Amino acid sequence: MQIYGNFPMIRCQDVHKRFGRLEVLRGVTFDVAKGEVVVVIGPSGSGKTTLLRCINHLEAVDHGRIYLDGQPLGYREVKGKFVEKSEREVARMRASIGMVFQRFNLFPHLTALGNVIDAPIHVRKLGRSQGLKAGRAMLEKVGLGDKLDAYPAQLSGGQQQRVAIARALAMEPKVMLFDEPTSALDPELVGEVLEVMKSLAREGMTMIVVSHEMGFAREVADRMMLMDEGVVVEEGPPAQFFDNPRHDRTKLFLGKIL
Amino acid sequence: MSIPFPSLDYDPRIVWDYLFNSVILEGAQRTIVVAIAAQVLGVVLGLASALMRMSKNPLLNVPANLYVWFFRGTPLLIQLLFWYNGVPQLFDNPDITHQLTSFRVTIFALGVNEGAYMTEIVRAGIESVEAGQMDAAKSLGMTSAKAMRRIILPQALRVIVPPTGNEFIGMLKNSSLAFAIGLMELLTASRSIYVVNFKILELLTVASIWYLVMTTAFSLAQAELEARLAVGQRERPPTLFGRMTEAFGVARSRLR
């Protein structure tokens, strides 16, 4: 029996993922509560991106379970056994998980507004006028109300990433995943994207952010997580994590990036 | 004094006389109809077979691979003769033979052959779209079919259209192979006249002129389509209309 409200928004239970011989995730376990902001850091190749892709079921996990709001992700429990869900069911679940990519991945053949309203109209089946209204509102929210008809190629990197955030938000997701959202940006454009993410966090959005923007992490994160070699090495509130890390691995890594 | 000049038997007036001859015009029309219908069939088959070929399921990708291998690997002329003369032997049934008119068989044979080439063109187009586009579409809750339709194919089109235009120009010309199964297309039509009046060169000229008219008209239309598809590109090539108004503007300023 499932009692809603008692479940964490996301629960990862002993998640394993391998690509060929390489085991990228080697047993990752953690919960994210509703409204919590978790910032994940770690060296490249530590499995951060793969973890986010597994949470969105862009990659199927090999072992372990991920739950979104109490529901197993990508699988259905039938009489105690896990059965793979149909593509349609997986897609429906993904619609409630927003994802922002390092390289934006905007649709280049659609305008900013077209990018934002496509899925609300064709996946959520909002009517066209309602979708347009929601799309405009989302672009206003990220400060791009004057760029509705611009194509991605006509926008700066920071603007493109803000459109990508608006696009994800327009699906009214329960959770937002950010995969190094500012690492492909010129330094002077990082701030505008982080501002949008901060205001999202203040509104109570549940967020998992892979980022090495430590100022942002200190200000916004409820919890920090260090991943290395496919496992969570250390987690804790930012004050303790930054000023008094328990593990040598964390000290070493923070020493390198701070 | 006049230099002796060998008298050449080529009369341009005959070319002019036959250029708008009704047999020739009907042949040209049939060539266009056959080429368009076969190209449409080829695009549809190519799209289906490209998607099958890219599937991980061997029940889908093996037949698609065999299809491309066979129809790309055998001469088009043999394929035409196979469908037109070979298949009736298989059934030995006058009703079926009667249904297999040279017009229908030409469209079918050219289309099936074209589908094999279009498979590779469509596949290259789809593969030219970054993998991140599929990820982004899926993360917004699209199934892969919907993502293919709404996000991937519209982008792939920019890569698919130019070689498809080449294919269509080839198709206009390859349709002349149908003379082997007696279809009254443009070449057969001109041939039907020169076997009677022996004005071979003049009538081959007539046919060539019409082929050039068709391919030129189509090339212009293609440039226009490509310019229109370049939506969202930084450097958008000018459309034909844009170029014409520009050229007109230049001419006018020179006149002043």
Side-chain angles (χ1 to χ4, degrees):
Chain A
M1 188 167 161
Q2 291 180 331
I3 305 157
Y4 290 92
N6 275 355
F7 286 97
M9 188 56 92
I10 285 181
R11 161 163 288 176
C12 290
Q13 224 168 46
D14 194 29
V15 172
H16 289 252
K17 176 70 190 174
R18 68 166 63 241
F19 294 109
R21 282 189 172 175
L22 185 70
E23 192 164 25
V24 183
L25 297 178
R26 301 185 301 139
V28 175
T29 300
F30 68 97
D31 287 356
V32 180
K34 191 171 190 307
E36 200 179 11
V37 177
V38 176
V39 173
V40 183
I41 63 172
S44 84
S46 58
K48 300 163 297 189
T49 295
T50 305
L51 178 64
L52 289 192
R53 291 177 64 85
C54 285
I55 292 175
N56 209 347
H57 204 65
L58 287 175
E59 308 287 354
V61 302
D62 294 326
H63 181 79
R65 295 279 165 249
I66 300 175
Y67 298 86
L68 173 75
D69 214 2
Q71 302 274 357
L73 201 90
Y75 299 87
R76 208 166 11 161
E77 217 169 335
V78 182
K79 292 176 193 159
K81 275 188 182 169
F82 283 93
V83 186
E84 199 160 351
K85 280 186 181 174
S86 74
E87 202 199 345
R88 201 164 282 279
E89 287 174 291
V90 170
R92 199 171 303 141
M93 202 139 197
R94 273 201 201 109
S96 56
I97 307 174
M99 180 136 180
V100 175
F101 300 86
Q102 184 174 5
R103 303 294 319 273
F104 328 136
N105 296 358
L106 287 183
F107 306 136
H109 61 303
L110 300 177
T111 60
L113 187 60
N115 266 275
V116 176
I117 65 173
D118 199 75
I121 291 177
H122 297 283
V123 176
R124 274 179 72 203
K125 307 284 183 195
L126 292 184
R128 182 149 184 94
S129 62
Q130 210 186 338
L132 278 167
K133 215 167 109 192
R136 285 202 193 93
M138 281 306 158
L139 283 168
E140 299 271 344
K141 187 185 165 99
V142 299
L144 291 171
D146 57 337
K147 297 285 185 193
L148 300 179
D149 297 324
Y151 284 96
Q154 298 163 329
L155 297 172
S156 74
Q159 290 170 332
Q160 288 189 51
Q161 194 59 299
R162 285 188 282 153
V163 174
I165 294 173
R167 178 176 70 177
L169 289 176
M171 293 300 286
E172 299 185 354
K174 295 178 182 172
V175 188
M176 286 284 283
L177 311 175
F178 292 87
D179 184 12
E180 305 208 31
T182 58
S183 60
L185 295 177
D186 289 336
E188 79 272 19
L189 302 177
V190 168
E192 61 190 66
V193 173
L194 293 182
E195 275 313 312
V196 170
M197 291 167 63
K198 280 178 200 168
S199 74
L200 259 187
R202 277 194 297 271
E203 286 167 23
M205 176 63 77
T206 310
M207 291 162 62
I208 303 181
V209 184
V210 171
S211 175
H212 292 122
E213 293 292 336
M214 291 302 113
F216 169 83
R218 257 184 205 273
E219 192 181 331
V220 177
D222 296 305
R223 194 149 43 104
M224 294 297 300
M225 233 166 76
L226 176 81
M227 282 188 73
D228 193 17
E229 292 179 355
V231 292
V232 176
V233 175
E234 173 158 4
E235 56 178 315
Q240 181 214 318
F241 184 89
F242 285 114
D243 303 326
N244 197 12
R246 278 167 299 173
H247 292 265
D248 290 343
R249 190 71 197 83
T250 314
K251 284 177 201 160
L252 194 70
F253 187 72
L254 288 174
K256 276 184 191 157
I257 63 167
L258 285 179
Chain B
M1 248 180 79
S2 65
I3 299 158
F5 196 73
S7 75
L8 296 181
D9 186 11
Y10 185 90
D11 188 350
R13 278 173 309 179
I14 293 180
V15 173
W16 181 252
D17 285 346
Y18 279 100
L19 199 53
F20 298 101
N21 175 291
S22 66
V23 176
I24 295 287
L25 289 183
E26 271 166 39
Q29 194 190 352
R30 204 163 281 125
T31 290
I32 293 174
V33 170
V34 162
I36 291 177
Q39 189 66 44
V40 168
L41 179 60
V43 168
V44 171
L45 288 175
L47 178 61
S49 142
L51 293 173
M52 284 168 70
R53 206 170 177 178
M54 291 170 77
S55 159
K56 281 179 205 126
N57 184 344
L59 284 176
L60 295 175
N61 68 40
V62 170
N65 280 325
L66 284 174
Y67 166 61
V68 172
W69 170 76
F70 184 81
F71 286 97
R72 227 171 38 159
T74 54
L76 178 53
L77 191 51
I78 292 186
Q79 291 173 29
L80 269 168
L81 294 172
F82 174 85
W83 296 118
Y84 189 69
N85 296 331
V87 169
Q89 176 196 323
L90 199 61
F91 292 105
D92 195 19
N93 176 336
D95 288 339
I96 291 178
T97 310
H98 192 67
Q99 293 295 315
L100 293 172
T101 63
S102 58
F103 180 71
R104 289 177 189 170
V105 170
T106 302
I107 292 175
F108 181 77
L110 290 175
V112 169
N113 178 267
E114 180 59 21
Y117 289 89
M118 284 307 300
T119 301
E120 292 301 273
I121 292 173
V122 172
R123 187 173 69 127
I126 291 173
E127 282 173 356
S128 76
V129 179
E130 269 185 78
Q133 294 287 313
M134 186 53 109
D135 286 347
K138 280 186 171 173
S139 80
L140 290 167
M142 293 188 198
T143 56
S144 21
K146 184 171 274 179
M148 187 57 79
R149 223 170 38 239
R150 299 205 52 80
I151 306 300
I152 308 297
L153 281 178
Q155 293 181 61
L157 222 50
R158 275 196 34 245
V159 175
I160 293 172
V161 162
T164 304
N166 282 342
E167 288 296 307
F168 182 66
I169 285 178
M171 181 69 83
L172 280 168
K173 296 179 295 176
N174 280 343
S175 65
S176 62
L177 285 176
F179 99 95
I181 60 172
L183 180 71
M184 266 300 233
E185 45 69 57
L186 182 50
L187 176 62
T188 317
S190 33
R191 205 166 162 269
S192 74
I193 297 173
Y194 75 61
V195 293
V196 177
N197 68 6
F198 297 107
K199 299 294 177 191
I200 302 168
L201 275 175
E202 288 83 350
L203 278 144
L204 288 177
T205 309
V206 167
S208 301
I209 289 173
W210 279 116
Y211 280 117
L212 280 169
V213 167
M214 289 180 215
T215 52
T216 307
F218 175 73
S219 301
L220 290 173
Q222 187 190 357
E224 184 69 10
L225 177 61
E226 281 173 30
R228 279 171 201 271
L229 276 175
V231 150
Q233 295 302 108
R234 251 176 234 267
E235 302 253 332
R236 204 177 161 184
T239 61
L240 182 62
F241 182 71
R243 274 178 304 186
M244 271 162 57
T245 48
E246 201 180 320
F248 187 59
V250 171
R252 244 188 356 188
S253 65
R254 276 198 194 135
L255 280 174
R256 247 184 254 141

